[in-house]
Amino acid sequence: MKIEILGTGCSKCKKTKEKIEKVLKQNGLEAEVIKIEDIEQIMNYGVMVTPAVVIDGEVKVAGKVPDEKDIQKWITQ
């Protein structure tokens, strides 16, 4: 599983990364977690507001920090 966190390094982006890592650890799962800060790469996903979460190439959320329940659902599908 490849999880990309799109954002320019704001506090919401950092919080999103922390939540994802926490949920992965709680579930005993491993994933490649990548932080993407390059505006061009972010826009290639069609994302205009950050933070955004992309899992295996699919944008799951953009413009807000996701709930841990949502992250749980995404990583266990």
Side-chain angles (χ1 to χ4, degrees), residues 5-9 35-45 50:
I5 299 157
L6 312 180
T8 56
K35 182 80 173 62
I36 297 180
E37 296 184 0
D38 180 66
I39 297 296
E40 272 188 45
Q41 284 184 283
I42 292 170
M43 294 190 70
N44 285 340
Y45 282 105
T50 60

Side-chain angles (χ1 to χ4, degrees), residues 9 13-16 29 43 48 56 65 68 70 76-77:
C13 299
K14 292 173 185 168
K15 185 70 174 169
T16 299
L29 297 171
M43 294 190 70
M48 298 298 193
D56 294 331
V65 177
E68 289 181 21
D70 291 330
T76 57
Q77 286 181 341

Side-chain angles (χ1 to χ4, degrees), residues 19-27 68 71-72 75:
K19 282 188 171 191
I20 288 171
E21 289 173 342
K22 178 182 174 184
V23 173
L24 286 169
K25 187 175 181 179
Q26 287 173 341
N27 288 277
E68 289 181 21
I71 297 167
Q72 172 86 28
I75 66 172

